[in-house]
Amino acid sequence: MQLVEPRPHRRLPIRMTPLIDVVFILLVFFMVTSRLAPTSQLQLDNDTRASAGGDGEPLPSLVMQPDGRIQWGDRLETPAQLARALTRAGESEVNLETDGQVSLGDFTAGLTHLQDAGITTHWQRSSGGTASRQEAP
């Protein structure tokens, strides 16, 4: 004895309106709860106060020029050459100053050479139009 009539074998249509509503609610939820951070920026240690080395001597001041070379006193060299010179001089920490004319690619390449040589770099943007010359080592 069969109490329920058999259903016909037709497909039930999927209603899209509730699915779209759920998708929009999830989208709003993730937009509100996520923190949007720019991925194209380089996070740096910007502690540029007049810091001193471990022995009380001031840190060498480097100035990056718009052409990508770095000035250390009277020397004007490529980042790779300067990294080797700083390593030979026993420097492990420096202050690097740039102005608004230095391209991001040149800055990143210079910073990479210094960090690859094991030199901790503190960076600051020059407050004036041009960076000032610093004392030679």
Side-chain angles (χ1 to χ4, degrees):
M1 170 189 252
Q2 188 174 13
L3 297 176
V4 179
E5 292 181 21
R7 288 185 161 191
H9 293 293
R10 64 181 174 139
R11 299 182 101 187
L12 294 175
I14 297 174
R15 295 183 313 177
M16 293 299 291
T17 305
L19 293 175
I20 292 172
D21 290 345
V22 169
V23 168
F24 280 125
I25 289 171
L26 287 173
L27 177 67
V28 169
F29 172 77
F30 285 112
M31 286 174 58
V32 169
T33 59
S34 65
R35 187 180 124 208
L36 299 176
T39 58
S40 63
Q41 293 183 353
L42 181 64
Q43 185 175 359
L44 300 173
D45 177 16
N46 286 334
D47 183 14
T48 57
R49 290 172 271 152
S51 56
D55 57 355
E57 293 292 320
L59 294 177
S61 295
L62 309 177
V63 180
M64 182 167 279
Q65 303 299 318
D67 63 356
R69 295 183 298 169
I70 300 176
Q71 179 180 350
W72 180 28
D74 292 333
R75 302 170 78 162
L76 187 62
E77 300 179 355
T78 65
Q81 293 168 338
L82 188 63
R84 287 191 296 272
L86 287 167
T87 303
R88 282 193 303 270
E91 300 292 347
S92 62
E93 193 172 358
V94 296
N95 289 327
L96 177 63
E97 184 177 345
T98 63
D99 64 8
Q101 303 302 316
V102 177
S103 72
L104 180 61
D106 290 337
F107 171 72
T108 305
L111 187 64
T112 302
H113 281 292
L114 293 172
Q115 289 178 342
D116 287 346
I119 299 169
T120 304
T121 306
H122 302 282
W123 170 74
Q124 79 175 11
R125 182 180 295 248
S126 175
S127 58
T130 59
S132 60
R133 293 184 68 126
Q134 306 294 333
E135 271 185 46

